[in-house]
Amino acid sequence: MTLDVIDYPGRRPEAYIADLELEHEGFGTRYLLDRHSQTDATAVAYAEALFSREPREGGRVPAVLGYCASSGVAAHYAEVVARETGEVPFLICFDASPCTIGDIEDCYLTAVQQIEEDGPATTEPPLHLVELGEHPQLLIDTVRADLVSRMVRTLAADGVTDDVAGLVAQTVDGTHIAWITHLLACRDADPAVRTQRTVNVVSRGYTEAPEWLRGESVRTVRIDCDRADLLRHPDTRSAVLGFLRGDGDRG
């Protein structure tokens, strides 16, 4: 049996789904975002692209796991699995949270700060992304051009005068644009969750379930820990193993 995991691999203070070490319990795991970069900014296309790029070898996918904002994409991915295999997987979310245009703008502003923190003072103001929120591809193109321009300008101030725009664009795409694209897909998520097969494992103080997870039949499992420790806490691991082995259906 193979568990498909959607958990963005970038830096963060919180633990990762990989920290549950489910491989040690006999489950195969595929960390899909470690294996494939995506260019689709809509949740359905993003999920379908992830599914189409994985080799199908006849193994079951009993569960799809998603962390935080990635849970929305994981839910769409679970729908693709159900449609293509005829078997509805468990959807196991962890602190599932909606993604807003404000989150995407924060990501962009962080990128600007990282690019310019050691560079010369600039009078170029940051972009305002709110008005671009309903035009994902335009947002991506605009942010890419802005970040490339800022990075080229910073390198020039350091004495790099070669034509480096192409290499800079690759760097920007592989870091900042990949993350923003993922967030746009998360923001777009609005799955028709099969609630009898859905559980949301949440940390202490969690209150922000997205609209699609607020049905009464969605099971919520609360773990008495901070968010940063949720995916390394032994109670989280026990709860997940219970669902994967069938005990959670009876609990």
Side-chain angles (χ1 to χ4, degrees):
M1 295 192 294
T2 302
L3 312 178
D4 281 349
V5 178
I6 300 181
D7 186 9
Y8 199 82
R11 296 179 184 177
R12 69 185 192 217
E14 298 88 0
Y16 293 86
I17 292 176
D19 293 320
L20 294 174
E21 298 183 334
L22 299 174
E23 300 88 346
H24 295 177
E25 300 296 329
F27 294 97
T29 49
R30 295 187 294 200
Y31 296 92
L32 303 183
L33 300 184
D34 290 353
R35 298 154 68 98
H36 306 292
S37 60
Q38 301 301 314
T39 58
D40 299 291
T42 63
V44 171
Y46 196 101
E48 289 181 342
L50 284 175
F51 184 86
S52 68
R53 291 170 187 173
E54 280 297 318
R56 298 293 138 193
E57 299 171 350
R60 294 178 56 230
V61 180
V64 177
L65 286 66
Y67 176 72
C68 196
S70 298
S71 295
V73 170
H76 280 290
Y77 185 87
E79 291 181 343
V80 175
V81 171
R83 183 187 73 214
E84 297 296 328
T85 69
E87 182 174 358
V88 180
F90 255 119
L91 171 63
I92 303 179
C93 306
F94 303 90
D95 272 359
S97 302
C99 182
T100 68
I101 190 63
D103 296 324
I104 295 167
E105 192 157 43
D106 287 346
C107 175
Y108 160 70
L109 292 173
T110 298
V112 170
Q113 182 180 20
Q114 290 173 349
I115 289 170
E116 297 189 338
E117 62 184 352
D118 296 323
T122 178
T123 59
E124 190 69 30
L127 301 170
H128 295 287
L129 301 187
V130 173
E131 59 269 25
L132 296 174
E134 302 311 312
H135 307 281
Q137 192 57 55
L138 179 60
L139 185 151
I140 289 170
D141 292 343
T142 303
V143 168
R144 178 188 287 112
D146 179 80
L147 296 181
V148 168
S149 174
R150 291 174 189 274
M151 189 174 287
V152 168
R153 187 165 55 245
T154 298
L155 289 171
D158 289 338
V160 179
T161 57
D162 296 335
D163 183 6
V164 295
L167 291 175
V168 167
Q170 291 180 28
T171 299
V172 167
D173 281 352
T175 53
H176 309 299
I177 296 302
W179 176 224
I180 288 173
T181 301
H182 180 71
L183 290 179
L184 283 165
C186 294
R187 179 173 180 256
D188 182 63
D190 186 22
V193 172
R194 301 168 190 271
T195 54
Q196 73 275 19
R197 300 279 292 171
T198 301
V199 60
N200 190 17
V201 183
V202 303
S203 58
R204 185 192 306 124
Y206 171 87
T207 59
E208 53 182 342
E211 190 67 33
W212 53 269
L213 266 184
R214 292 177 187 169
E216 292 183 0
S217 57
V218 175
R219 183 171 300 190
T220 299
V221 175
R222 294 193 174 272
I223 306 297
D224 188 20
C225 70
D226 294 332
R227 170 174 282 198
D229 294 324
L230 179 63
L231 291 171
R232 64 172 64 96
H233 198 283
D235 290 350
T236 301
R237 192 168 189 269
S238 295
V240 170
L241 289 174
F243 280 104
L244 294 176
R245 291 169 173 164
D247 301 332
D249 285 330
R250 298 186 291 273

